[in-house]
Amino acid sequence: MCGIIGYIGKREAAPLLLEGLKRLEYRGYDSAGMALVHQGKLTAFRSEGKLSKLENKIGAKTPQGTIGIGHTRWATHGKPSEKNAHPHISKRVAIVHNGIIENYLELKKLLPHKGRELKSETDSEIVCHLMDAYVAKEENFLLALDQVLKCLEGTYALVIMDLKDPKHLYVAKKASPIVIGFGKHECFVASDIPAFLAHTNQITFLENDEIAVLSEESVDFYSKELKKIEKPIKEIAWTADMAEKGGYKHFMLKEIMEQPTAIRDTLLGRINKNKNQIHFPEIEKIFKGRFPNFNRFYMVACGTSWHAALAGRYYMEAIAKIPVSVDTASEFRYREPFIDKKTLLLVISQSGETADTLACVAMAREHGAKVISICNVIDSSIPRLSHATLYTNAGPEIGVASTKAFTTQLAVLLMLALSFGARKKSIDQRYLKKAIDGLSKLPRVMENLLKEKEKILKIAQKFVNSRDFYFIARGIHFPIALEGALKLKEISYVHAEGYAAGEMKHGPIALLEHNTPVVALAPKDRVCEKMISNIQEVKARGASVFIVASEGDKRFEKQNDEVFYVPDSLWYLTPLLISLPLQLLAYFVADLRGAEVDQPRNLAKSVTVE
Ligand code: F6R
């Protein structure tokens, strides 16, 4: 959470910092700030609220300086306010911080008080004062930074400016993500790649306990022991346009509409129609052509990615005939699960930075387990700690509500189950061929379905003022119902719950009132008849139902309910199709209610704190 950016080069830093902050705003948006040095003089601006408020404060007179740092905040310690906004400044030092300094209260006691009174309620400001105090003693900025880092407990990505030396920017990392971008006669540092993607696609992620010192022409990297180290520079295939709205009102809508392309890119190179094969070269070094005898198989994730894992369990059980247990990362890491060398952990994360998921990976590795991750952000922390990563190739996802990451995660999970199934011979070549055909056609089917988005707008208009929504489904569509409810509540602030349809009468049905919307997922599958009974039950209690059904299913005609039809597909492809109207419903309800779709209150895109 929190977005940080730094620039050093030949250009004016302020517009680059603002542009970077705009692209990082999805990580936090309760206050923002920036600081620059020009001719030995520091200029700093901070403001409560969104970035636009900071821009208003700066006004037309952009501050000068070719070195600077910026921050957009998601509050943890200290409420959103101007005084708690970053950068924090103490005499010679200005810092921006992402993470949590857990021992900040103890560190406060170490500070020589005179002239160093804390001005904010944050945990971050202490780092700034400590730095200034140490540099006053040490003179060498890097050695002082090393001393300070040794005092810190918790997590951090820090970008630090020495106001006496405008030729260097200092960067340190523990747990919170930070990436360096290499331009021509300039360097960037940021919490995430899109912040500087318009200027360079040459990147290096910093690892835990490493330090980087940036100058215009080069970057020096140091290990924990302050030894100089070499780090490779990678070129990332994302383009700047991918991180733009492309004419859409919101990133979320753009990302919903991008799903056919995202799925196409995710299938690319993995399904081979001619050879009737699904191939993940990334995991060959673990599987060596077979599915080894793991004693235990866990899938772990958070939020939307957890919903993908729940759906993935249906794929693994029904297609690959592999038992798997699924857990939320925040529970798994504290549950003392059985993990040893014969355990396979599959983690799912769009950002690759979610703190709880990352902790599960570290825990599993400590116990000797094999870890495979499904991630979207290339080279982020989780892939770097995994034995192998299957990337979702969805491109940058900026909208806080996850959409294209979710369906591409489903596609990878499905392909993985099919490839495991083929190895274990739990499915035959005909089954595989049908699946490969279906997957190849999926992007086009999705494209056609998305053309019907106006129908969902009408349904959203009907339900826009409803207070509570219930999403019900059975089988593999149950996690899709959970996801539909999560999408709606997180961006529109309407109360929404997902339930296994068979559970309604064990309690939740008591909540139904006249016209309470119930979204029922009832595609033609082996539990459709049961869904129809559940729909009758909720209607009998006054619910107003919106049914997502399979094209050609006449049973829902003449019922006076809202029905949206998705093409009748193979059971394992239907969840990807049904996700689209649910995402659109959430989007339109939120937009009609005037909510901030891309930046819902209290949320941030990457949850890098527990
Ligand atoms: C909801 C959403 C979150 C994330 C969750 C995990 O729309 O985006 O629930 O799914 O924070 O994030 P990742 O997948 O980055 O680990």
Side-chain angles (χ1 to χ4, degrees):
M1 348 269 281
C2 297
I4 60 186
I5 171 104
Y7 173 81
I8 181 162
K10 294 202 181 302
R11 294 192 270 171
E12 287 300 333
L16 298 169
L17 295 178
L18 277 173
E19 180 194 326
L21 288 178
K22 254 180 223 153
R23 301 201 195 288
L24 291 173
E25 225 188 348
Y26 69 87
R27 300 179 65 88
Y29 30 82
D30 58 42
S31 52
M34 67 155 79
L36 299 102
V37 180
H38 181 59
Q39 294 178 345
K41 220 177 130 246
L42 172 82
T43 323
F45 295 90
R46 294 186 303 176
S47 161
E48 186 189 335
K50 299 229 160 156
L51 195 57
S52 51
K53 288 214 178 151
L54 180 72
E55 286 177 302
N56 288 344
K57 201 161 185 184
I58 294 172
K61 210 167 170 312
T62 319
Q64 281 186 301
T66 56
I67 178 170
I69 55 179
H71 190 271
T72 175
R73 181 169 184 250
W74 187 86
T76 55
H77 292 61
K79 62 180 184 299
S81 67
E82 186 175 327
K83 74 172 181 188
N84 289 336
H86 299 217
H88 293 290
I89 295 151
S90 175
K91 296 184 182 168
R92 181 176 163 177
V93 177
I95 68 147
V96 285
H97 167 227
N98 173 26
I100 295 178
I101 306 302
E102 285 168 359
N103 59 337
Y104 78 107
L105 291 174
E106 288 154 46
L107 292 175
K108 241 171 140 174
K109 294 183 205 144
L110 293 181
L111 264 190
H113 284 293
K114 207 165 159 358
R116 293 192 207 282
E117 290 78 22
L118 296 183
K119 295 175 206 86
S120 76
E121 298 149 348
T122 65
D123 53 326
S124 313
E125 192 189 353
I126 192 78
V127 183
C128 186
H129 290 288
L130 276 180
M131 232 359 256
D132 188 62
Y134 273 92
V135 84
K137 277 197 287 179
E138 189 62 65
E139 256 318 303
N140 180 316
F141 207 83
L142 184 61
L143 293 181
L145 174 58
D146 180 52
Q147 298 290 319
V148 170
L149 296 180
K150 287 199 169 96
C151 304
L152 304 183
E153 284 170 23
T155 59
Y156 51 79
L158 288 162
V159 183
I160 309 176
M161 221 167 31
D162 175 3
L163 309 185
K164 277 198 179 170
D165 170 19
K167 297 221 171 303
H168 296 102
L169 264 185
Y170 295 80
V171 185
K173 166 193 157 107
K174 185 171 233 154
S176 305
I178 195 90
V179 58
I180 289 160
F182 299 81
K184 206 168 175 204
H185 310 303
E186 60 188 6
C187 286
F188 297 81
V189 55
S191 303
D192 200 358
I193 303 159
F196 53 66
L197 197 54
H199 308 285
T200 179
N201 63 353
Q202 311 283 317
I203 60 155
T204 295
F205 276 93
L206 220 57
E207 296 294 344
N208 283 343
D209 297 315
E210 288 177 352
I211 294 175
V213 183
L214 279 59
S215 61
E216 256 177 49
E217 302 296 341
S218 63
V219 178
D220 289 332
F221 293 102
Y222 296 90
S223 69
K224 193 178 185 177
E225 297 75 30
L226 276 199
K227 290 220 172 77
K228 260 201 179 180
I229 49 171
E230 294 294 321
K231 284 180 75 75
I233 299 177
K234 284 201 179 165
E235 188 173 308
I236 186 159
W238 293 358
T239 61
D241 303 351
M242 287 166 132
E244 298 287 348
K245 275 191 211 155
Y248 287 98
K249 186 172 176 191
H250 295 104
F251 278 112
M252 183 181 177
L253 184 58
K254 177 190 172 229
E255 288 160 7
I256 290 174
M257 301 306 284
E258 271 173 358
Q259 285 175 105
T261 310
I263 295 285
R264 211 171 268 130
D265 291 346
T266 301
L267 303 183
L268 206 72
R270 286 166 171 163
I271 54 173
N272 186 328
K273 274 180 114 174
N274 295 335
K275 290 191 182 162
N276 199 35
Q277 234 181 32
I278 294 185
H279 186 49
F280 284 107
E282 306 90 322
I283 54 172
E284 278 320 310
K285 58 180 187 269
I286 300 178
F287 291 97
K288 299 188 181 80
R290 297 172 306 117
F291 185 80
N293 262 346
F294 287 109
N295 287 348
R296 273 177 285 275
F297 179 17
Y298 297 109
M299 281 200 266
V300 165
C302 296
T304 290
S305 299
W306 174 60
H307 295 154
L310 288 171
R313 175 165 59 193
Y314 290 84
Y315 292 152
M316 291 297 165
E317 288 177 351
I319 299 170
K321 308 287 180 220
I322 298 173
V324 52
S325 73
V326 179
D327 215 334
T328 50
S330 53
E331 288 301 314
F332 188 78
R333 65 184 287 195
Y334 295 114
R335 219 167 33 76
E336 299 191 30
F338 293 94
I339 306 176
D340 59 22
K341 287 191 179 122
K342 290 224 146 194
T343 301
L344 174 64
L345 176 72
L346 176 63
V347 295
I348 307 173
S349 172
Q350 187 285 129
S351 61
E353 299 294 350
T354 300
D356 284 318
T357 313
L358 187 58
C360 293
V361 175
M363 178 171 92
R365 291 210 61 155
E366 267 167 37
H367 289 81
K370 283 275 181 281
V371 180
I372 298 179
S373 51
I374 297 178
C375 283
N376 193 40
V377 178
I378 293 155
D379 228 20
S380 49
S381 298
I382 291 173
R384 294 204 309 278
L385 205 59
S386 307
H387 291 99
T389 300
L390 308 176
Y391 284 110
T392 42
N393 300 344
E397 192 180 64
I398 311 282
V400 165
S402 191
T403 51
K404 61 178 179 171
F406 178 64
T407 45
T408 52
Q409 286 166 353
L410 292 180
V412 171
L413 285 162
L414 171 57
M415 287 190 284
L416 200 57
L418 288 162
S419 98
F420 287 171
R423 283 161 203 263
K424 289 186 71 225
K425 307 219 177 321
S426 61
I427 55 171
D428 61 18
Q429 288 298 306
R430 269 185 44 209
Y431 191 103
L432 193 59
K433 183 174 179 329
K434 225 171 151 185
I436 290 178
D437 278 351
L439 273 165
S440 320
K441 289 183 190 133
L442 186 64
R444 178 55 61 83
V445 178
M446 286 176 128
E447 248 157 41
N448 290 335
L449 198 55
L450 287 167
K451 285 186 189 144
E452 296 180 41
K453 69 178 192 309
E454 299 306 311
K455 288 189 187 163
I456 302 291
L457 173 61
K458 289 212 172 78
I459 290 164
Q461 281 161 340
K462 175 171 169 184
F463 292 125
V464 64
N465 292 320
S466 302
R467 199 191 51 195
D468 306 291
F469 278 71
Y470 296 91
F471 288 69
I472 59 170
R474 283 171 176 265
I476 193 166
H477 298 106
F478 165 47
I480 308 301
L482 293 178
E483 175 59 10
L486 175 65
K487 280 298 82 101
L488 185 63
K489 68 184 137 194
E490 71 177 322
I491 58 168
S492 68
Y493 319 138
V494 175
H495 169 241
E497 299 294 339
Y499 283 105
E503 280 294 296
M504 280 302 275
K505 50 181 153 319
H506 296 286
I509 204 163
L511 292 166
L512 298 182
E513 291 172 359
H514 180 62
N515 276 344
T516 303
V518 173
V519 181
L521 312 184
K524 243 196 261 164
D525 59 14
R526 63 197 181 98
V527 285
C528 188
E529 286 296 338
K530 310 232 173 283
M531 272 308 294
I532 291 172
S533 307
N534 297 135
I535 291 169
Q536 293 311 326
E537 284 160 13
V538 296
K539 278 172 69 170
R541 271 86 189 168
S544 182
V545 291
F546 164 37
I547 302 165
V548 184
S550 300
E551 235 160 49
D553 194 338
K554 303 244 183 288
R555 289 172 292 186
F556 300 105
E557 286 173 5
K558 301 187 198 130
Q559 293 273 339
N560 213 14
D561 303 317
E562 297 294 347
V563 187
F564 183 82
Y565 291 101
V566 298
D568 191 10
S569 316
L570 297 160
W571 69 268
Y572 41 78
L573 296 179
T574 315
L576 286 99
L577 299 179
I578 290 193
S579 298
L580 305 184
L582 300 192
Q583 294 167 349
L584 285 167
L585 179 71
Y587 172 76
F588 286 128
V589 169
D591 193 34
L592 289 167
R593 290 170 72 97
E596 296 255 20
V597 172
D598 283 332
Q599 293 169 350
R601 69 182 179 212
N602 305 340
L603 294 178
K605 182 79 181 156
S606 316
V607 184
T608 54
V609 292
E610 343 181 9

